[in-house]
Amino acid sequence: MSDFFNNGWSLFIMAVVGGGLLFCVFVLAVASKRKVMANDNTTGHVWDENLQELNNPLPRWWMGLFVITIVFAVLYLTLYPGFGNVSGQLKWSSKGQYVAEKEKALEALKPVYARFDNMPVEALAGDAQAMGIGERLFANNCAGCHGSDARGSKGFPNLTDKDWLYGGAHETIIETITKGRQGMMPVMAPAVGSPEDVRNVANYVLSLSGSAHNSIAAQLGKSKFGVCAACHGPDGKGNQALGAPNLTDKVWLHGWGESAIVSMVTNGKTNMMPQHASRLSPEQIRVLAAYVWSLSNKPGAKTAMVTTAQ
């Protein structure tokens, strides 16, 4: 898409807009100089013996509006962006207006969020107003990926269980929402060995969670798991500092089974959680993080073990 934002496209737009205005001026000038060629208001052209072409000038009010339109276009392009990459004398932009309106809205909301500033996460999770705000923030900013019920889907973590890649503490969730995350599983097949070795490792990984597997292949793959242990740990329990998944449970983010694991080891995977610091204020993020935290920390709630949330 970067090809659409270079200087060449700007010059092209300037040529089209400027050429269009000049053509309008040219047509207006030519039309205004046309003279009646005969006293009977005809051009002198006759077809089929008696069919004559009349030359009725445009009404002056129409000509005036045409001129006003051209002048308005020139003034608009001088004051506002529209002529290529020229920003305009007023320096207005839709992005600038959005930022100004957003800052104004956040300023108006400060008294609402001020009540939550010193509340611990447990108190926030029990506050009906805070959770109502958090639920709306989640619906507007998070539900598109994690679902309206926050249970996720393939490739998008389930936020209602206690299985967290980077940790489920309130402060960690704030960091994730603020800065985003980029998880990467590198291509490991060359380090593991042959395709057969990769399949053996896949069966060993399945054995760690007690999932259905080929026990002979798993035993052969155990020695090859060492190249995976750097991130997932020698016991396969993962590493939250790296965002490496726990392989000993039955919660899978990108699919379950031998073929899914073989594909992951062979092709790798990159997953991204976008940052929201540019969209939400720190106060909003804190309340939103408390709402997300509450989804897996409700008193008496059963932990959801959904196979889409690793």
Side-chain angles (χ1 to χ4, degrees):
M1 289 298 292
S2 61
D3 293 342
F4 290 93
F5 297 96
N6 59 37
N7 194 52
W9 281 108
S10 177
L11 294 175
F12 173 76
I13 293 171
M14 294 171 74
V16 171
V17 174
L21 285 174
L22 290 175
F23 179 74
C24 289
V25 172
F26 171 76
V27 170
L28 186 62
V30 171
S32 65
K33 293 181 179 180
R34 291 293 299 270
K35 302 296 183 181
V36 177
M37 300 178 61
N39 294 330
D40 57 357
N41 198 35
T42 65
T43 62
H45 297 157
V46 179
W47 291 272
D48 199 18
E49 297 184 0
N50 60 358
L51 184 61
Q52 296 180 324
E53 179 183 7
L54 298 179
N55 182 23
N56 294 317
L58 292 171
R60 287 186 178 275
W61 65 266
W62 193 95
M63 296 284 284
L65 287 178
F66 201 92
V67 172
I68 291 173
T69 301
I70 295 174
V71 173
F72 174 82
V74 172
L75 289 175
Y76 181 90
L77 294 174
T78 301
L79 297 175
Y80 295 95
F83 194 58
N85 58 7
V86 178
S87 60
Q89 294 297 313
L90 296 181
K91 305 300 180 184
W92 177 92
S93 68
S94 56
K95 180 180 179 181
Q97 181 173 338
Y98 164 75
V99 171
E101 291 177 355
K102 176 184 172 184
E103 291 176 351
K104 183 179 179 181
L106 291 177
E107 191 67 27
L109 288 172
K110 275 188 176 181
V112 176
Y113 288 98
R115 191 171 72 84
F116 309 134
D117 285 348
N118 298 317
M119 294 175 64
V121 64
E122 292 82 2
L124 280 173
D127 188 281
Q129 184 183 18
M131 291 300 93
I133 294 173
E135 184 177 16
R136 288 189 290 274
L137 289 171
F138 183 89
N140 291 332
N141 297 277
C142 313
C145 292
H146 296 283
S148 58
D149 60 358
R151 291 182 179 274
S153 61
K154 185 177 181 180
F156 301 102
N158 176 10
L159 304 178
T160 66
D161 60 15
K162 290 182 177 292
D163 195 82
W164 295 88
L165 287 175
Y166 295 92
H170 186 220
E171 294 73 16
T172 305
I173 300 173
I174 289 175
E175 181 182 359
T176 298
I177 297 173
T178 302
K179 300 179 181 179
R181 299 285 186 183
Q182 182 165 349
M184 185 184 73
M185 163 72 181
V187 175
M188 296 301 295
V192 172
S194 67
E196 186 65 26
D197 290 329
V198 173
R199 285 193 293 273
N200 291 339
V201 166
N203 278 277
Y204 176 71
V205 170
L206 289 170
S207 73
L208 294 175
S209 59
S211 301
H213 63 281
N214 183 317
S215 58
I216 297 176
Q219 193 63 33
L220 294 172
K222 183 176 181 178
S223 62
K224 294 289 185 177
F225 184 77
V227 298
C228 311
C231 293
H232 295 282
D235 54 2
K237 291 185 179 295
N239 186 338
Q240 290 186 344
L242 300 175
N246 177 9
L247 303 178
T248 65
D249 59 18
K250 294 183 179 181
V251 185
W252 300 87
L253 180 58
H254 298 287
W256 175 90
E258 179 183 320
S259 60
I261 299 173
V262 168
S263 176
M264 186 72 68
V265 175
T266 304
N267 304 315
K269 176 70 76 172
T270 298
N271 229 30
M272 186 183 74
M273 156 77 180
Q275 62 85 18
H276 285 71
S278 59
R279 300 183 60 181
L280 302 172
S281 68
E283 295 81 7
Q284 288 176 314
I285 290 176
R286 186 170 183 273
V287 172
L288 173 58
Y291 173 76
V292 172
W293 180 88
S294 75
L295 296 175
S296 58
N297 288 276
K298 292 179 179 178
K302 295 181 179 180
T303 301
M305 295 301 292
V306 181
T307 60
T308 56
Q310 176 50 285

